[in-house]
Amino acid sequence: MDGEALDVTRIPEEAPTGQNFFSKPQGITIDETKDLIFVSNVGSNKVTVIDGKTQKPIANVSVNTSPQTIVFNTLTNKLYSLSPVDNTVAIVDVYKKDYPVKTINVGKQPRGTSINKKTNRIYISNAGDSSISIIDGAKEEVIKTVILPNRSFPLVISVNEEKNKVYVVLYGSNAIQVIDGETGEAEQQIVVGQNPIWVRYIPELNRIFVTVEGEKKIVIINPENNQILQNIQISGIPYRIFFNKATNGVYINRRNSNLVTVISSENEAL
């Protein structure tokens, strides 16, 4: 979509004969330097590479089985692809023509990921065995596994690079887990309510936002002391958290709804 004109096109407009680039596309991430877009396909073992200038697919890269979440590391120019099917992370060197892939084992059902670009550590949430795998981006190996409470079902991860803290949603619990990025140890749990589904630390506001599915609310936390500043009750089920740097507005979509909740920076809690 063209953000100004709101014109919508499809990629590709017409698939070349006998060549399918997409199969149930799921995740997306961008390399802004080379203007490349990467799309994971849960219907195959492929990540599709799109040229951002021409808006055309240029390659299908074989990774792990049914890749879902993908993220691009600007420090190493490597792509990380998570497969909850075979419990692996595939690391792709996208700047080499043959797209070499290194696959490493993590915990069961890896779902979420976030990168601390100051320390070059990649955090992977493993929902199936309630753990966090910490990957060293330079060594390309798991250097520590953080064990969380049984059946806590960790999902989305967000990183506070300034404080070197990691925040993990525990969907099977009522809290988010704080992890010390320096030691890799689980620290405080912040109780937010039943079934937290998404977490995002926003450095421009220096606040942690959490959406809580079970209690239909948004929780705002001060990262300086991990204290809850405000609970915002809404009429629907909140889900993902987005931020507009131009307006300092926080946007939260809802499950099974045509409404979006907007939180202004004029809110007293911010």
Side-chain angles (χ1 to χ4, degrees):
M1 175 181 287
D2 184 314
E4 293 184 2
L6 300 183
D7 292 332
V8 178
T9 57
R10 293 179 179 272
I11 303 174
E13 286 286 3
E14 294 182 2
T17 303
Q19 189 172 15
N20 293 320
F21 280 100
F22 301 107
S23 177
K24 298 180 181 178
Q26 174 82 2
I28 191 167
T29 189
I30 298 172
D31 172 10
E32 295 182 355
T33 302
K34 288 203 170 184
D35 200 4
L36 297 173
I37 300 99
F38 306 97
V39 181
S40 64
N41 298 280
V42 296
S44 69
N45 65 336
K46 307 287 186 181
V47 167
T48 304
V49 185
I50 299 172
D51 185 326
K53 296 182 179 65
T54 64
Q55 300 296 320
K56 293 182 178 181
I58 57 176
N60 262 348
V61 182
S62 296
V63 286
N64 36 11
T65 306
S66 295
Q68 293 193 12
T69 305
I70 54 175
V71 65
F72 182 74
N73 187 348
T74 57
L75 291 175
T76 60
N77 298 322
K78 301 287 180 69
L79 179 77
Y80 298 82
S81 165
L82 278 61
S83 169
V85 176
D86 58 20
N87 306 324
T88 62
V89 172
I91 305 173
V92 187
D93 189 339
V94 297
Y95 279 19
K96 292 184 178 179
K97 290 183 179 180
D98 56 346
Y99 299 106
V101 178
K102 176 180 179 179
T103 302
I104 60 176
N105 295 319
V106 288
K108 293 181 180 179
Q109 297 179 27
R111 295 284 184 179
T113 182
S114 189
I115 299 174
N116 187 327
K117 295 179 182 178
K118 288 192 173 183
T119 63
N120 196 15
R121 288 188 174 181
I122 301 92
Y123 298 88
I124 309 292
S125 63
N126 305 304
D129 60 9
S130 299
S131 69
I132 303 295
S133 298
I134 304 176
I135 298 173
D136 185 306
K139 297 179 180 178
E140 296 185 350
E141 62 184 33
V142 175
I143 57 173
K144 187 176 180 66
T145 300
V146 184
I147 305 300
L148 301 175
N150 189 34
R151 297 183 180 178
S152 57
F153 208 78
L155 288 177
V156 178
I157 303 177
S158 188
V159 170
N160 182 339
E161 293 184 348
E162 293 301 320
K163 290 187 173 296
N164 199 6
K165 300 293 182 181
V166 183
Y167 310 109
V168 185
V169 159
L170 303 181
Y171 182 73
S173 178
N174 63 350
I176 65 169
Q177 178 71 60
V178 183
I179 296 174
D180 188 313
E182 180 67 29
T183 64
E185 297 295 327
E187 294 186 329
Q188 177 183 353
Q189 282 193 11
I190 306 172
V191 176
V192 293
Q194 182 183 2
N195 300 128
I197 187 70
W198 207 271
V199 62
R200 179 167 180 178
Y201 170 70
I202 301 177
E204 291 84 355
L205 303 177
N206 193 30
R207 292 292 183 263
I208 306 163
F209 287 77
V210 183
T211 51
V212 182
E213 182 183 85
E215 299 181 15
K216 298 181 180 179
K217 67 179 181 178
I218 301 153
V219 179
I220 304 174
I221 300 170
N222 183 354
E224 301 300 328
N225 54 19
N226 292 336
Q227 296 298 307
I228 293 176
L229 294 174
Q230 190 171 358
N231 290 282
I232 302 174
Q233 208 74 40
I234 64 174
S235 59
I237 299 174
Y239 190 26
R240 302 189 181 200
I241 303 166
F242 304 89
F243 178 66
N244 185 344
K245 293 182 180 180
T247 64
N248 279 347
V250 179
Y251 300 80
I252 297 167
N253 68 336
R254 304 183 184 187
R255 287 187 184 271
N256 304 320
S257 172
N258 59 357
L259 296 176
V260 172
T261 299
V262 182
I263 303 175
S264 169
S265 59
E266 296 177 357
N267 186 300
E268 291 183 1
L270 301 181

